[in-house]
DNA sequence: CTGTTAGCGCCTTCAG
DNA sequence: CTGAAGGCGCTAACAG
């Protein structure tokens, strides 16, 4: 491994000049810049990130905090997409990522967590799947000691950005399309878990639609559970004209119940997960591109690390018609 | 953040002494050792891993290489367990993990990959889900420049360890139990993908059983696909007494086909994935504890990094009776 | 057993 | 615009 010194010697300049070129500083003549770059190429030189971190006291380290407590297949799918999106972007931005799980922070105080991050030279944290009951994380955010990006939780301050699609609008749109295309005056809405931030936002969307379209609206908590959705559909499904679900998983549960009851009701979902083991069903759903969301989250982290202020980032979504497929084609 | 210097001053000793205590070197009197530890506690000191890495030229960095190409829910579940197992153990062992995906190495030569690892100070790589067609990785392993642990691929050399359950034996056992409990003389075996290392091993297991029990054995390639398994079962299922599948997913496909054909055949699976969206089915399967496997893989990596030689590690498995459950309970 | 010292590879003023 | 020099926090001989 050649070092900056070798490059300097080969280019016939001082170490500091090389450093400047490497980091894109001004005040280097075009000529020497080119000479340095050439030497870099010839030696196949890559700066040692460890030395650079130590010297500059900027490691560019960001932790991805994944909520793995709710063990469900869809969540796994979503988390994997989150991971690959963030990591891919991080490689491009030369940020240093480490993956952590909520479970590792269990039973630790906000202070201990801070110490841990600090000792690991972690400067930023992207939080996925945070719930309203996660007080420790909320405190961490409140402390403003780290740059933080929260996915799907509307928390913003000077050092914290939030990133998500417009859940209210998306829920409104997908439900509207389903209702209008099929007709119907009464809606059964199966909502998400009470502690989820998005649950309330999506709820607002369906309520707006109900108001606008003068629909009668029955709301039941499905907790993002396929099973619960199924049970609730058995109980209330036949009384409704349309069933709107706050997640694809619940939509599957609802559809299965309807099949077993041998009645038809239009159903719509939310998330646009790609993998489902149920054939022959169709519905509208909100397609969230989790990979892209996570890339954007990493972008936003880059901005924060460079001194940008926290802000709210809203990404777009799509309403798509989804066809269930076999798990592996 | 206090530094080693502060600790030294506070304990009234030299920096190097503190370093020795920190790293558990000998040649420090019990007394000073205690004094240093006290200072460490009082200052709430944690050594800066970056500085330590730079100085010692040992970053303790290991990359997790996850195969995310085959996008299936079960694979996601398994990969998440791999990730959390490895990362949890790494935290305990103070190793520095970064997660990478096969897709990031696509289109790169073994040399480029080596350079990348080297530039990132990565010393070890744990490879999950490598196939026989991954020649680039095979070359990387062959080079012996990095410490490597391969999960579920039987490759071993001085710097490479392999870790897996005994697939041959496991397949033998689960099939044997299923056959003996239900009786039957002919077996339909749905095998995995041709490029998977474990496919062949599992095949050997069922072949051994067939020999021992004098079973007639029909082998069909199911490619770990639920859909294919289903189709194959439609075609060949009724002619067999028992259906043995090389994965749970295929077992599900087989069972669904049997249900639709309205005939009964005992089925068994492999992997013991916890999440399946199918209710009311039961079968024997091989339970692999992916979380634990991955922890062990990280342990093994620790051994290699400390200079141990590559070896083959075989973990135990269980044969369990599995009851399908709803996705979310 | 303990302290001194010279780096690790890079960044960053500060002179020139 | 370029180069010299002093660290960043820690490790590792080497003296004492």
């Amino acid at each position: 491994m050649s070092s900056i010194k070798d490059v300097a010697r080969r280019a016939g300049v001082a170490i500091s000049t090389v450093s400047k070129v490497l980091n894109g500083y001004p005040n280097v003549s075009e000529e020497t810049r080119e000479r340095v770059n050439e030497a870099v190429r010839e030696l196949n030189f890559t700066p040692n990130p460890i030395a650079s971190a130590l010297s500059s006291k900027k490691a560019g380290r960001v932790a991805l905090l994944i909520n793995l407590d709710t063990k469900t297949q869809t969540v796994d799918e979503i988390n994997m997409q989150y991971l690959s999106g963030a990591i891919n972007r991080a490689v491009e931005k030369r940020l240093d990522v480490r993956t952590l799980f909520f479970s590792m922070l269990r039973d630790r105080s906000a202070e201990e967590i801070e110490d841990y991050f600090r000792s690991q030279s972690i400067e930023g944290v992207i939080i996925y799947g945070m719930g309203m009951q996660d007080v420790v994380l909320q405190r961490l955010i409140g402390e403003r000691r780290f740059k933080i990006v929260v996915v799907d939780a509307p928390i913003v301050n000077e050092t914290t950005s939030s990133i998500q699609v417009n859940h209210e609008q998306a829920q409104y749109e997908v439900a509207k399309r389903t209702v209008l295309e099929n007709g119907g005056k009464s809606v059964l809405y199966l909502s998400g878990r009470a502690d989820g931030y998005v649950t309330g936002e999506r709820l607002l969307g369906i309520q707006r639609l109900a108001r606008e379209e003068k629909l009668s609206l029955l709301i039941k908590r499905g907790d993002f559970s396929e099973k619960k959705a199924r049970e609730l559909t058995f109980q209330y499904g036949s009384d409704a004209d349309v069933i709107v679900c706050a997640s694809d998983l619940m939509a599957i549960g609802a559809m299965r119940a309807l099949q077993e009851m041998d009645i038809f009701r239009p159903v719509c979902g939310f998330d646009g997960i790609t993998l489902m083991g149920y054939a022959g069903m169709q519905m509208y759903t909100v397609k969230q591109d989790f990979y892209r969301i996570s890339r954007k989250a990493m972008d936003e982290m880059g901005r924060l690390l460079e001194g940008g202020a926290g802000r709210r980032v809203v990404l777009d979504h799509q309403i798509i018609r989804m066809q269930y497929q076999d798990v592996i084609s």
Side-chain angles (χ1 to χ4, degrees), chain A:
Chain A
M1 278 277 93
S2 46
S3 83
I4 196 174
K5 214 188 220 161
D6 305 316
V7 177
R9 194 177 318 125
R10 191 157 177 73
V13 298
I15 293 183
S16 57
T17 307
V18 177
S19 176
K20 280 169 196 161
V21 173
L22 255 32
N23 298 291
Y25 279 62
N27 293 341
V28 178
S29 72
E30 195 46 57
E31 195 196 321
T32 44
R33 184 182 301 281
E34 191 38 60
R35 208 136 40 87
V36 169
N37 281 326
E38 206 179 304
V40 165
R41 249 174 278 123
E42 287 171 359
L43 292 172
N44 193 16
F45 167 77
T46 321
N48 179 330
I50 296 187
S52 158
L54 178 62
S55 183
S56 68
K57 314 205 98 203
K58 276 182 229 150
R61 280 202 185 161
V62 359
L64 306 182
L65 208 43
I66 301 279
N67 189 345
L68 208 57
D69 286 349
T70 25
K71 296 210 169 192
T72 70
Q73 56 190 347
T74 56
V75 168
D76 282 344
E77 177 193 333
I78 294 172
N79 280 330
M80 281 316 272
Q81 297 208 41
Y82 277 154
L83 279 183
S84 57
I87 290 174
N88 274 302
R89 191 75 188 96
V91 169
E92 294 168 12
K93 292 179 82 80
R94 307 191 145 277
L95 289 171
D96 187 358
V97 167
R98 64 207 50 201
T99 308
L100 299 177
F101 297 97
F102 276 40
S103 55
M104 307 167 75
L105 307 180
R106 232 345 96 74
D107 308 322
R108 301 205 190 190
S109 67
E111 203 181 10
E112 287 173 308
I113 294 175
E114 272 193 45
D115 282 352
Y116 176 70
F117 284 169
R118 200 150 242 106
S119 75
Q120 295 296 312
S121 310
I122 287 171
E123 296 152 21
V125 186
I126 302 181
I127 305 178
Y128 301 90
M130 179 176 143
M132 300 200 281
Q133 82 292 359
D134 291 318
V135 286
V136 172
L137 291 180
Q138 265 144 15
R139 245 198 72 190
L140 195 74
I141 293 171
E143 304 285 4
R144 295 165 169 67
R145 296 241 178 77
F146 299 92
K147 309 297 186 180
I148 295 184
V149 175
V150 207
V151 175
D152 274 353
I155 306 179
V156 173
N157 63 36
E158 303 92 74
T159 58
T160 308
S161 286
S162 124
I163 185 164
Q164 58 185 166
V165 303
N166 186 336
H167 292 274
E168 194 271 349
Q169 177 68 16
Q171 184 66 87
Y172 170 86
E173 286 173 15
V174 72
K176 181 167 188 175
R177 173 130 26 146
T178 304
V179 168
L180 291 194
E181 262 189 31
N182 292 279
K185 275 288 146 195
S186 66
V187 169
L188 169 60
Y189 183 72
L190 303 183
S191 73
R193 276 217 311 276
D195 63 331
Y197 283 103
V198 297
T199 298
E201 300 180 17
R202 293 180 191 173
L203 199 55
L204 290 176
I206 190 68
Q207 285 169 332
R208 171 153 68 99
L209 180 69
R211 238 179 294 123
E212 278 187 22
E213 301 291 332
K214 303 199 196 324
L215 306 170
S216 86
L217 180 61
L218 178 61
I219 297 167
K220 288 289 164 189
R221 250 198 28 219
D223 289 341
F224 294 131
S225 151
E226 174 180 355
K227 193 173 175 188
K228 268 207 172 162
R230 192 177 140 167
E231 291 164 1
L232 290 169
T233 303
F234 276 125
Q235 250 184 83
Y236 306 102
S238 57
D239 298 337
D241 299 327
V242 174
I243 301 179
V244 175
C245 301
S247 80
D248 286 342
L249 212 55
M250 289 196 289
I252 292 173
M255 282 185 154
R256 291 181 65 196
L258 291 170
Q259 281 185 336
E260 289 184 39
M261 295 161 76
D262 205 26
I263 63 178
F264 174 77
R265 294 289 183 282
V267 173
C268 64
F270 204 113
D271 281 343
I273 55 178
T274 52
L275 302 166
M276 311 184 183
Y278 303 80
M281 303 183 202
Q282 274 204 164
M283 61 170 192
Y284 282 118
T285 190
V286 175
K287 170 75 183 166
Q288 294 195 71
D289 187 339
F290 298 105
Y291 181 88
R292 184 164 158 269
I293 289 175
S294 197
R295 279 183 68 90
K296 288 285 181 187
M298 187 56 77
D299 274 338
E300 184 60 20
M301 176 55 74
R303 242 196 84 249
L304 290 176
L305 289 177
E306 280 162 12
R311 62 175 178 176
R312 184 181 168 83
V313 178
V314 178
L315 298 182
D316 54 359
H317 58 268
Q318 285 179 58
I319 308 298
I320 61 168
R321 185 156 197 94
M322 180 103 134
Q323 167 102 43
Y324 290 123
Q325 317 164 333
D326 261 335
V327 175
I328 302 190
S329 50

